[in-house]
Amino acid sequence: MYDDILVPTDGSEAVDRALDHAVRLASDHDATVHALYVVDRRIVTANSGDLHDEIVADLESQGDAAVARVADHAREAGLDAETHVVEGTPDTEIVAYAEENEIDVIVLSPEGKSPRERIQSLGSVSDRVADDATVPVFLIK
């Protein structure tokens, strides 16, 4: 039923909650785990001064570490894993990656924002992914 499972990561502890579920689901279906980190273009654009290149390199390095952690966890469970670091708007890139790579399900964890924080930021990445994705989205709280 599931051949490819996408686990978007920002490197936070919230991802660990989702990752355990994603690995269990992938193990049940002998699926490949896709780890995706999105270097947020909005942060990159806001920092276009002298430190721009350094900031981009730092964010990409954080991304490499985050996807490696997801892939290591999947491989320890005997699963195939792919890692990808891209630049863009997180929710848009997650949905696009899922469509372009024929992902069967996206597993992620809400960021833990309070209702007030969600209103102020117009929702969370996980909310927007759940609204826009054309495949099932498992939100692990």
Side-chain angles (χ1 to χ4, degrees):
M1 182 173 194
Y2 300 125
D3 295 321
D4 293 281
I5 297 172
L6 176 57
V7 181
T9 181
D10 62 2
S12 70
E13 290 181 20
V15 174
D16 293 340
R17 293 190 301 267
L19 182 56
D20 289 338
H21 289 275
V23 166
R24 191 172 325 127
L25 185 63
S27 293
D28 289 347
H29 295 276
D30 194 29
T32 298
V33 173
H34 295 251
L36 177 67
Y37 180 93
V38 181
V39 175
D40 194 330
R41 180 177 293 136
R42 298 166 296 188
I43 295 171
V44 172
T45 303
N47 294 289
S48 59
D50 293 339
L51 298 177
H52 178 265
D53 292 343
E54 188 176 325
I55 291 169
V56 170
D58 185 50
L59 291 171
E60 288 174 349
S61 177
Q62 289 176 33
D64 289 339
V67 295
R69 197 167 97 215
V70 170
D72 289 347
H73 193 78
R75 290 181 182 127
E76 287 171 7
L79 299 166
D80 291 332
E82 295 184 17
T83 62
H84 301 275
V85 176
V86 299
E87 184 179 319
T89 305
D91 54 296
T92 302
E93 293 302 323
I94 292 166
V95 171
Y97 182 91
E99 290 174 2
E100 293 165 8
N101 293 278
E102 299 181 4
I103 296 297
D104 298 303
V105 64
I106 302 169
V107 181
L108 71 163
S109 181
E111 298 173 85
K113 290 183 177 181
S114 70
R116 182 178 181 159
E117 290 170 323
R118 285 182 179 210
I119 290 169
Q120 290 173 336
S121 67
L122 301 176
S124 68
V125 169
S126 58
D127 289 339
R128 290 188 296 272
V129 169
D131 288 343
D132 296 339
T134 58
V135 299
V137 177
F138 291 167
L139 295 177
I140 309 299
K141 293 188 176 202

